[in-house]
Amino acid sequence: MIDESNGYEGIADIYIPGRGRAVNGVGATTARAWAATFAPGAELLDLGCGTGIPVTKILLEAGLKVWAVDASAKMVADFRTNFPGVPVAWEAVERSGFFGRQFDGIISVGLMFLLAPAIQRALIPKMAAALKPGGRLLFTSPMQIVEWNDAMTELPSWSLGAEEYRGLLLASGLSLGEEMRDEGGNYYFSGVRPPTSP
Ligand SMILES: C[S@@+](CC[C@H](N)C(=O)[O-])C[C@H]1O[C@@H](n2cnc3c(N)ncnc32)[C@H](O)[C@@H]1O
């Protein structure tokens, strides 16, 4: 079977006991602050969720409802053990059935740059279309245009750079939201679907 996890299935046994258990790992503070901006009961999608720790856990602790997607079978199995009852799909984000729904927020930490540039360019409009009016998108990728090998999988990673990411968000009908950097140096892009007029 083709591995669509961009190498993460192969290193899951190393990843899960490390980052996959880091409840206060890099980015947790940023995810917690973002989660706190949603009303309790808001519906969130976590793309490339891994084990669900820390991001899904933080969303649930903020009283939000979560749907999640990951392409690694081992990550999804671990997620299901960690969060029984939380809907998680074992599938590639680029083909996720959850894009048939609408969410108050979509978060994707540590995923975008693992995807080939053409897939990134196709994914951003899909994420935007899956936001409710007023819904918000947050994803990480480096600010600069850069290609490198992922530290864990050693497979290629690509950032399209801030100018192209912002352009893709705007072209998808979103306005640009607040950008930020976390304690680990990860950069966050953000988009907001305009609320419908009253
Ligand atoms: C660096 S980990 C980040 C996990 C989690 N978001 C976090 O911040 O802890 C990247 C995750 O993306 C998943 N992934 C990679 N390519 C994917 C794809 N095409 N579709 C869905 N998930 C994918 C991997 O299996 C892995 O769990």
Side-chain angles (χ1 to χ4, degrees), residues 4-6 8 15 19 48 50 70-72 92-94 109-111 115:
E4 296 186 290
S5 73
N6 291 289
Y8 273 79
Y15 181 96
R19 165 76 180 178
D70 201 283
S72 157
V93 288
E94 50 270 42
V109 176
L111 170 74
L115 309 172

Side-chain angles (χ1 to χ4, degrees), residues 151-190:
M152 292 200 79
T153 67
E154 297 175 5
L155 293 176
S157 294
W158 303 265
S159 170
L160 306 181
E163 194 178 333
E164 183 165 357
Y165 286 128
R166 291 175 193 141
L168 286 163
L169 291 168
L170 291 168
S172 304
L174 305 187
S175 54
L176 299 180
E178 188 191 351
E179 295 179 12
M180 58 205 97
R181 195 180 288 283
D182 70 20
E183 69 277 27
N186 301 303
Y187 198 80
Y188 294 71
F189 293 93
S190 168

